[in-house]
Amino acid sequence: MKYQWIFLLAIAAALALSVLVSGMEPGHNRYHQHLEAEEKLPCTDHDDSVFCTHLPLMEITTDAPVPEPYLQESNVSTNNVWAVSNRKRNYEMVAASVRYFDNETENNHLTDRPAVEERAMFRIRGASSRSFDKKNYLLKFKEEDMTRDLDVSLSGMAADNSWALHGPFLDKSLIRNYLCYNLAGEIMDYAPNARFCELFVNGEYMGLYLLTEKISYSENGRIDFTKTDPDMTVTSYILQVDRGAKDPRYSLETFGSNSYLTRTKLHAGQGYLEILYPGKTLTQNQHDYIVSDFSRFEKSIFSFDYNHPDRGYRQYIDVRSFIDFFLINEFALNYDAPGLSTYLYKDVSGKLKMCVWDFDAAFDYYRYSEVTPETFRIHNALWFKYLFKDEAFVDQVVERYDDLRKRFLNEEYLFQYIDETVAYLGPAIARNYEKWGYSFNSTYNGVDYDYLEPESRNVRSFDAAIRQIKDTITLRLRHMDSNLDRLYTLCHESMNKRYNHVTEAGGA
C-alpha cells in the first residue's frame, strides 16, 4: 500500500514540476483554432469558380439594406429596421437569415448543408471603425418569430444569442485580436473565445473575419457565475467601462465618478460605467445594490486604509485578475483600456474580476498618434492609479510578469504563435486582400487610407504588418524587462505620505 502512495505522490510531483517548468497556467484548456482545427486537403471535385475555404464560412442575407450608423436621434421601426441608440450614436438593426458552414474534416462551400441556419438581427458595430470600408458587425440570433432571443453554438463556442464579427481593416496583420484574446485566455479566468471565418453579406464576399463571443453570461457558458434572480436584491453583475449607457436605466454613477476620482475633464467621453448584466430583468433594488457594492471597492482604494488587511481593496477584488489585465494591456500597448472597451464582472458570492476586449490598436497601431514601446500608461488610469500606491500590489505585478515572461510573454513563444497562425490562415489572407488590398495604398480613388500618424507608420504589405508586430513585441519586452521596477516609485513614501498612516493594527 505504501508503494502505491509513493507512486501517486511521484506522479503528482512530476505533474506539478512540468507545470512549473513550462510556465503553463494550471486549469486552463483554451482552444486555439490554428493549432487544433483539422487539417483539410484541397478539393478536387470543383473548379476555381466555386468559393472554397478551409475556414468556417458564414453567409448573411438581410431582409433590407444594412443601415449605416448615423449621429442623430431616431425611433425608426419600419421595413424590418429597428433603431438602437448608443449614447450619441444611433445604430439600426435589420432582420437577416444566417447560414454557418463548419465542416470539421472537409472544406466549406456555400452549396454545402449548413451547420447552423437561423434568423437573426444584424447591424454594423464599433466606434471609430464605423468609418472603415470593411465593417464590424453584431449578430443577435432570434427565434423564427423574431421576438425571442435564441442561443446558438458556433464552432464549439458556448451557445449564446449575441456574437461580434470583427473585420480587421486598420489591423493589416489581421491577427491582433486573435493573438491577444487567446493570450489572455491562457492566463485569466475568462477571455472571449474567437474563431476565424470568411464572410459573405448579401452575396458579396467581405473577407476574413474573427467571430467573437460578446462578453456576457449565459447558462451555457461564457462568464461563469451565479445567475441573477429578479426577486433578490443581491446579484451577480457585469459592467462595461466605455462612453456611457444607451439607456439611462443601466447608467452607473458610483462613489468614484461622483467624487471625480475616476472621471475627469482630461478623460471626457470615457470611463463611464454601464450595467450589462442583469439585462432586461434588472430591478431598481439591484441597480442600487450594484452602485453600493462597487462603491465599497472604490471607497476602499481611495481611503487611508487602502492596503489594510481587513478594510482595504483586497477584500473586494480578485487581485490576480487586475494584475493580468494590467500586464496584458501594457504589453500590447493597448491604451484604449481601461477607460474604453473594458469589462468587470462579479459573482454574487465572489470578488470583482476584469476582462479584456478590443485590441485593434494594439502593438503601436493606435490610429491618431504613435505609441512608442518605451512607455507605461495604465498605472495612471482609473482604479489602477490607486492600486499602485500599494507596494505589495507592485510586488505582485513584478512577480507575475517574471512568471509570464518564461512562456506566454516570451518572444520565441509569441513569434511561433504568430507564424503558425499566418500559416493556418493560408489562402484566406490572399482572398481578403484581393478585396481590401487597396487599403495598403496611401490613397485610392481619392480616399486617404493612411490612418496612422506619422505617415511612415503605415505598412504597405501584409509581410510588413507581421514584421511590425514582431518588432514592437521585441522592443516592448525589452523595455518592460528593464523598466518594470520603476513602478515602485508609485508606491514610495515620498509619493504617498498622506495615504500612509500606520494604524494600531499594524496595517496602513
Side-chain angles (χ1 to χ4, degrees):
M1 185 69 176
K2 78 173 181 180
Y3 295 109
Q4 282 184 308
W5 280 110
I6 292 172
F7 179 70
L8 291 172
L9 287 171
I11 292 177
L15 289 173
L17 180 62
S18 67
V19 169
L20 179 65
V21 171
S22 66
M24 286 286 287
E25 295 293 304
H28 286 255
N29 187 26
R30 183 75 175 187
Y31 178 89
H32 299 265
Q33 182 184 13
H34 72 286
L35 296 176
E36 300 180 55
E38 292 283 342
E39 186 174 353
K40 299 174 182 179
L41 298 174
C43 291
T44 59
D45 58 350
H46 61 74
D47 59 27
D48 292 341
S49 65
V50 176
F51 186 86
C52 177
T53 176
H54 64 295
L55 299 176
L57 176 62
M58 182 175 285
E59 180 186 44
I60 298 173
T61 305
T62 62
D63 294 5
V66 181
E68 294 284 336
Y70 50 88
L71 298 174
Q72 62 184 23
E73 295 296 327
S74 174
N75 291 307
V76 178
S77 184
T78 58
N79 298 325
N80 292 308
V81 173
W82 286 259
V84 179
S85 175
N86 183 8
R87 203 162 178 253
K88 294 182 179 179
R89 297 178 181 80
N90 284 14
Y91 297 91
E92 292 179 346
M93 300 192 80
V94 60
S97 297
V98 180
R99 299 200 304 158
Y100 188 70
F101 305 88
D102 188 19
N103 193 313
E104 292 185 4
T105 58
E106 297 179 358
N107 293 323
N108 294 298
H109 318 83
L110 294 172
T111 54
D112 296 340
R113 180 190 297 271
V116 172
E117 188 168 11
E118 299 291 352
R119 295 284 284 165
M121 300 304 298
F122 181 67
R123 69 164 171 85
I124 295 170
R125 61 172 296 273
S128 59
S129 62
R130 295 174 306 129
S131 63
F132 297 158
D133 295 0
K134 186 180 182 181
K135 307 298 184 186
N136 295 318
Y137 297 110
L138 176 71
L139 267 180
K140 288 188 72 70
F141 284 103
K142 295 286 185 178
E143 298 279 5
E144 191 66 30
D145 62 8
M146 300 300 289
T147 61
R148 291 171 296 176
D149 292 340
L150 176 67
D151 288 346
V152 174
S153 175
L154 300 173
S155 292
M157 293 183 281
D160 199 279
N161 66 82
S162 186
W163 297 85
L165 280 162
H166 170 64
F169 187 73
L170 182 67
D171 173 18
K172 299 298 194 295
S173 77
L174 308 174
I175 66 170
R176 276 175 166 80
N177 277 299
Y178 178 81
L179 170 65
C180 293
Y181 287 155
N182 286 332
L183 181 65
E186 286 286 1
I187 66 178
M188 299 183 76
D189 284 348
Y190 174 75
N193 288 285
R195 305 286 191 271
F196 284 113
C197 68
E198 293 187 81
L199 178 67
F200 281 80
V201 176
N202 293 328
E204 181 180 1
Y205 177 68
M206 303 304 292
L208 184 69
Y209 274 72
L210 191 65
L211 176 67
T212 308
E213 293 179 342
K214 290 283 287 178
I215 296 173
S216 62
Y217 163 84
S218 77
E219 295 181 358
N220 305 302
R222 299 197 178 177
I223 289 178
D224 181 21
F225 58 28
T226 306
K227 182 180 180 181
T228 188
D229 181 349
D231 293 329
M232 300 290 289
T233 296
V234 178
T235 180
S236 303
Y237 57 85
I238 303 173
L239 306 180
Q240 180 180 12
V241 188
D242 208 89
R243 295 178 174 87
K246 61 190 177 185
D247 184 338
R249 188 161 67 107
Y250 300 103
S251 292
L252 200 66
E253 291 295 334
T254 64
F255 178 81
S257 55
N258 286 330
S259 57
Y260 298 99
L261 291 168
T262 58
R263 197 160 65 234
T264 66
K265 291 181 180 180
L266 180 64
H267 298 101
Q270 60 177 276
Y272 289 84
L273 282 167
E274 172 184 355
I275 300 172
L276 293 187
Y277 182 90
K280 296 177 182 178
T281 65
L282 178 71
T283 66
Q284 186 60 49
N285 284 341
Q286 289 177 332
H287 183 283
D288 294 344
Y289 163 76
I290 295 170
V291 170
S292 176
D293 188 69
F294 197 83
S295 293
R296 277 195 292 269
F297 153 59
E298 291 187 317
K299 289 175 183 178
S300 74
I301 60 171
F302 301 148
S303 75
F304 289 143
D305 295 326
Y306 65 101
N307 61 350
H308 190 281
D310 298 321
R311 299 189 294 272
Y313 67 87
R314 292 176 183 273
Q315 301 301 311
Y316 303 101
I317 69 171
D318 183 308
V319 177
R320 170 67 71 84
S321 176
F322 278 68
I323 289 172
D324 287 345
F325 179 91
F326 169 81
L327 286 173
I328 289 170
N329 284 288
E330 276 291 356
F331 158 68
L333 297 166
N334 190 37
Y335 290 141
D336 273 351
L340 297 169
S341 300
T342 293
Y343 296 81
L344 303 99
Y345 62 98
K346 181 178 181 291
D347 184 81
V348 67
S349 60
K351 296 182 179 182
L352 275 167
K353 298 182 179 182
M354 300 202 74
C355 184
V356 300
W357 182 256
D358 190 1
F359 290 85
D360 289 358
F363 303 113
D364 188 25
Y365 232 61
Y366 189 66
R367 180 175 178 180
Y368 302 107
S369 61
E370 185 174 10
V371 180
T372 63
E374 296 82 11
T375 186
F376 293 115
R377 293 191 186 180
I378 293 174
H379 66 277
N380 201 35
L382 297 177
W383 313 286
F384 287 95
K385 178 178 180 180
Y386 302 91
L387 292 173
F388 274 94
K389 293 180 181 298
D390 181 14
E391 185 174 357
F393 184 83
V394 182
D395 283 340
Q396 288 182 267
V397 169
V398 173
E399 291 170 6
R400 181 62 167 159
Y401 176 73
D402 288 342
D403 288 342
L404 295 177
R405 192 71 170 89
K406 296 170 185 174
R407 177 169 181 186
F408 295 115
L409 298 185
N410 176 277
E411 290 98 324
E412 183 178 355
Y413 172 84
L414 292 165
F415 292 174
Q416 181 176 342
Y417 197 99
I418 290 169
D419 292 341
E420 289 176 346
T421 300
V422 170
Y424 168 71
L425 293 176
I429 297 170
R431 285 192 292 267
N432 180 82
Y433 283 122
E434 285 176 16
K435 173 77 175 179
W436 305 111
Y438 63 82
S439 64
F440 284 116
N441 299 331
S442 178
T443 58
Y444 180 77
N445 284 345
V447 177
D448 182 7
Y449 286 99
D450 276 354
Y451 290 115
L452 275 61
E453 300 175 0
E455 181 183 349
S456 59
R457 294 175 58 226
N458 294 274
V459 297
R460 301 304 179 196
S461 69
F462 175 75
D463 289 343
I466 296 298
R467 285 197 303 273
Q468 187 271 341
I469 285 187
K470 290 182 176 180
D471 289 347
T472 302
I473 286 174
T474 296
L475 292 173
R476 184 58 175 160
L477 290 174
R478 186 181 302 165
H479 176 74
M480 294 181 75
D481 289 346
S482 301
N483 294 279
L484 201 66
D485 285 352
R486 294 174 64 185
L487 295 174
Y488 279 107
T489 62
L490 303 173
C491 62
H492 192 270
E493 174 68 18
S494 62
M495 290 281 287
N496 304 297
K497 282 185 178 180
R498 67 190 183 95
Y499 287 92
N500 296 330
H501 296 279
V502 178
T503 69
E504 293 179 2

